[in-house]
């Protein structure tokens, strides 16, 4: 095995792992009961999945075509920064607009805060 | 409501978006990109600022009159066109060549970049005018 084959194997591994993680997050979006667990499944595993696919692409173009694409590096950083924040904002908007968590939930630390916000919104 | 996470991430991400817009603008002659898409990306960064902060804060952060930007961009486009007429060639004929600059050395320059700069300014101006006008209506 020479270096090219090792790199090719690594690229294949990264892209397949990324695609699998994305599929798993899609299954999570279908199977999980409420918006918060869905957001947990979607945000984390798609972020990592897309980052793995982009890393595989970066390595492929780097070693096969001798071209370091800095846009891919930037995209990896950008998705890592922004995707969890968007999930946070969507979950928070859902919580404060009154979406109830799954009935098996045992703890709701923000309930008091939500009540005061709802009262101030009514006034 | 507390917007700390959104504002912190916006402060970091806006610079990445604006740099990407500038890169798209200057790469337009040899790679995909150009004035139109660079203008849209820059306007996107400004819209992200508008989402994270209120309209008054963004106006003090970026003190630009976007309607003036449209006019300046159109003047750039017209000016590059009239530049051809001055040198007795048809309207919108572009010139290019290698120029020795003090710091940068040998640079290949083309007047199409100035036309593209006009497109860029008009696109930023139009997009921001539309969005700010809609946003201001109460």
């Amino acid at each position: 095995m020479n270096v090219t084959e090792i790199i090719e194997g690594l690229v294949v591994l990264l892209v397949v792992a990324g695609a699998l993680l994305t599929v798993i997050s899609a299954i999570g979006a279908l199977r999980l009961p409420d918006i918060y667990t869905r957001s947990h499944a979607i945000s984390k595993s798609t972020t990592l999945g897309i980052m793995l696919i982009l890393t595989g692409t970066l390595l492929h173009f780097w070693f096969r075509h001798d071209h370091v694409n800095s846009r891919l590096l930037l995209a990896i950083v950008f998705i890592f920064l922004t995707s969890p924040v968007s999930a946070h904002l969507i979950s928070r908007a859902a919580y404060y607009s009154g979406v109830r968590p799954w009935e098996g939930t045992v703890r709701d630390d923000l309930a008091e805060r939500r009540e005061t916000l709802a009262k101030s919104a009514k006034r | 409501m507390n917007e700390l996470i959104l504002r912190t991430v916006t402060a970091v991400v806006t610079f990445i978006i604006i740099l990407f817009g500038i890169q798209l603008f200057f790469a337009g002659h040899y790679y995909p990109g150009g004035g139109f898409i660079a203008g849209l990306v820059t306007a996107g960064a400004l819209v992200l600022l508008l989402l994270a902060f209120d309209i008054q804060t963004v106006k003090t952060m970026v003190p630009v009159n976007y309607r003036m930007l449209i006019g300046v961009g159109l003047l750039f486009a017209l000016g590059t066109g009239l530049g051809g007429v001055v040198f007795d060639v048809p309207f919108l004929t572009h010139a290019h060549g290698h120029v020795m600059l003090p710091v940068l050395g040998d640079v290949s320059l083309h007047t199409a970049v100035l036309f593209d700069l006009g497109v860029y300014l008009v696109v930023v101006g139009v997009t921001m005018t539309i969005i700010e006008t809609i946003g201001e209506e109460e």
Side-chain angles (χ1 to χ4, degrees), chain B residues 48-101:
Chain B
L48 181 65
L49 282 179
L50 279 175
L51 284 176
F53 303 94
D54 57 306
I55 204 161
Q56 226 44 56
T57 321
V58 176
K59 267 186 186 162
T60 48
M61 266 193 241
V62 191
V64 177
N65 184 353
Y66 296 112
R67 290 176 193 85
M68 285 291 288
L69 221 55
I70 301 174
V72 171
L74 287 174
L75 276 181
F76 262 101
L78 187 68
T80 46
L82 288 177
V85 177
V86 170
F87 291 104
D88 204 21
V89 279
F91 183 66
L92 274 176
T93 305
H94 287 287
H96 61 90
H98 290 260
V99 183
M100 285 300 284
L101 289 181

Side-chain angles (χ1 to χ4, degrees), chain A residues 71 74 77-78 81-82 85 88-89 92 96 113 117, chain B residues 1-3 5-6 9 12-13 16-17 20 23-24:
Chain A
R71 288 181 182 201
L74 204 63
V77 174
F78 192 83
L81 276 177
T82 52
V85 176
H88 158 77
L89 288 171
R92 198 179 64 160
Y96 284 128
R113 170 108 177 105
L117 271 178
Chain B
M1 227 178 276
N2 189 355
E3 306 273 12
I5 295 177
L6 178 62
V9 167
V12 178
V13 156
I16 300 180
I17 302 176
F20 183 53
Q23 196 268 341
L24 278 175

Side-chain angles (χ1 to χ4, degrees), chain A:
Chain A
M1 252 169 77
N2 55 2
V3 180
T4 327
E5 282 174 0
I6 295 172
I7 296 292
E8 272 179 359
L10 189 65
V11 167
V12 168
L13 206 70
L14 283 171
V15 172
V16 169
L20 272 179
L21 269 172
T22 316
V23 170
I24 288 170
S25 81
I27 295 170
L30 290 173
R31 293 281 299 159
L32 289 171
D34 69 349
I35 183 164
Y36 309 107
T37 46
R38 277 181 196 158
S39 141
H40 150 80
I42 293 169
S43 65
K44 282 185 258 300
S45 52
T46 39
T47 307
L48 184 61
I50 291 170
M51 282 167 73
L52 287 182
I53 292 174
L54 289 177
T55 314
T57 319
L58 179 74
L59 287 181
H60 174 78
F61 281 101
W62 192 349
F63 287 101
R64 296 293 296 188
H65 302 272
D66 214 19
H67 166 66
V68 181
N69 196 335
S70 53
R71 288 181 182 201
L72 284 169
L73 266 175
L74 204 63
I76 292 168
V77 174
F78 192 83
I79 284 172
F80 184 64
L81 276 177
T82 52
S83 161
V85 176
S86 64
H88 158 77
L89 288 171
I90 290 169
S91 309
R92 198 179 64 160
Y95 188 82
Y96 284 128
S97 59
V99 177
R100 292 282 157 193
W102 177 49
E103 63 263 22
T105 311
V106 291
R107 207 173 148 173
D108 192 352
D109 281 348
L110 273 175
E112 226 172 274
R113 170 108 177 105
R114 174 158 70 178
E115 294 310 314
T116 52
L117 271 178
K119 267 179 205 160
S120 66
K122 262 177 203 165
R123 247 180 253 146

